[in-house]
């Protein structure tokens, strides 16, 4: 694990270029087309002036963890650049479904029926349908969000058939301090047997390996923007 605490804040535009390059090299090693991986720049705690620079440099896909933070930061940036694609990569409370549907183009954290129900209602009400990833708790960690691997097939089917949500893929956050590869492989296997083409996996420490295991979306923060101030998951 890299400790980023003492690393000075990198230039985010250079950080982006370096990560993009590493993603493309991993694609080449895996015999995949360059550009077959979407780099979601994980921008929690990153201030708008820094984001304005990476947007200016041409990067348009961002992931936020909290509805509240996204609501505060992104509407003005999007007004200046409507092509921005905003992803919710953190957990979502059902009572924030309305705002989430209004703000986000893609939600990576679908993991329970009550949330599906709230989202389906909002999608109908707003006439807007984000794309969804189902989050799978591949390490079956008690504190972690996501459906258990054994429950994933039935949950994916319910998301689509019962709730009519546009589920495109699966997402995972492997347990800290373990090799992530078995988790990437498990996620890919569950997606394949459910006919889901997209895989959201890989963060700053392991995105190259995730790409070699088939990631279509990597969520990378500190490798682009530098160390974050202390941040606790909601
Ligand atoms: C913060 C975060 C990331 C990015 O983490 P880094 O290690 O900074 O790249 C990716 N996914 C989720 C869900 C996150 O919360």
């Amino acid at each position: 694990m890299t400790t980023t605490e003492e690393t000075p804040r990198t230039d985010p535009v250079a950080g982006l270029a370096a990560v993009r390059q590493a993603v493309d090299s991993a694609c080449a090693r895996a015999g995949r087309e360059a550009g077959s991986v979407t780099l979601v720049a994980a921008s929690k705690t990153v201030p708008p002036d820094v984001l304005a620079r990476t947007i200016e440099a041409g990067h348009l896909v961002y992931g936020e963890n909290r509805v509240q933070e996204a609501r505060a930061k992104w509407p003005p940036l999007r007004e200046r650049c409507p092509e921005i694609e905003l992803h919710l990569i953190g957990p979502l409370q059902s009572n924030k479904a309305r705002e989430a549907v209004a703000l986000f183009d893609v939600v990576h954290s679908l993991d329970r029926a009550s949330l599906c129900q709230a989202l389906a209602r909002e999608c109908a009400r707003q006439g807007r349908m984000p794309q969804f990833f189902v989050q799978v708790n591949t390490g079956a960690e008690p504190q972690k969000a996501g459906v258990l691997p054994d429950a994933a097939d039935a949950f994916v089917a319910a998301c689509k058939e019962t709730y009519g949500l546009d589920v495109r893929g699966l997402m995972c956050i492997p347990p800290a301090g373990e090799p992530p590869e078995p988790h990437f492989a498990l996620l890919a296997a569950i997606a394949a047997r459910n006919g889901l083409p997209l895989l959201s996996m890989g963060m700053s420490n392991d995105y190259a390996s995730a790409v070699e295991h088939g990631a279509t979306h990597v969520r990378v923060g500190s490798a682009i923007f530098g160390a974050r101030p202390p941040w606790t998951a909601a």
Side-chain angles (χ1 to χ4, degrees), residues 9-166:
R9 188 170 267 276
T10 49
D11 169 24
V13 174
L16 257 178
V19 171
R20 186 73 250 176
Q21 175 95 54
V23 167
D24 289 348
S25 305
C27 283
R29 283 196 298 279
R32 299 178 57 188
E33 238 176 277
S36 62
V37 177
T38 300
L39 172 54
V40 181
S43 52
K44 59 179 175 257
T45 78
V46 179
D49 61 309
V50 174
L51 298 171
R53 291 184 54 211
T54 54
I55 293 164
E56 178 77 14
H59 192 79
L60 299 179
V61 186
Y62 294 86
E64 286 286 345
N65 283 68
R66 289 176 180 163
V67 173
Q68 237 174 321
E69 182 179 345
R71 188 217 302 135
K73 272 162 47 177
W74 284 98
L77 292 165
R78 282 175 131 177
E79 204 159 304
R80 280 148 62 190
C81 182
E83 299 80 27
I84 286 168
E85 192 178 291
L86 199 55
H87 294 233
L88 178 65
I89 61 177
L92 177 59
Q93 293 170 283
S94 298
N95 64 8
K96 302 246 170 73
R98 177 163 301 185
E99 279 190 289
V101 168
L103 265 172
F104 293 99
D105 303 296
V106 185
V107 174
H108 292 232
S109 49
L110 199 57
D111 69 351
R112 59 199 189 279
S114 56
L115 178 60
C116 291
Q117 195 168 23
L119 288 166
R121 196 185 317 122
E122 279 310 314
C123 289
R125 207 183 66 87
Q126 299 181 34
R128 218 182 115 76
M129 177 65 77
Q131 294 183 356
F132 292 98
F133 287 80
V134 167
Q135 183 171 351
V136 181
N137 185 356
T138 55
E141 297 172 274
Q143 82 288 6
K144 200 165 267 179
V147 295
L148 292 172
D150 284 350
D153 296 5
F155 184 72
V156 167
C159 289
K160 292 182 178 176
E161 289 152 26
T162 310
Y163 300 105
L165 297 174
D166 185 12

Side-chain angles (χ1 to χ4, degrees), residues 42 44 65 89-91 135 171 173 202-205 219-223 226 228 231:
K44 59 179 175 257
N65 283 68
I89 61 177
Q135 183 171 351
M171 179 272 223
I173 306 172
M203 314 192 348
S204 289
N205 285 325
R219 310 175 310 267
V220 180
S222 45
R228 275 186 297 275
W231 193 93

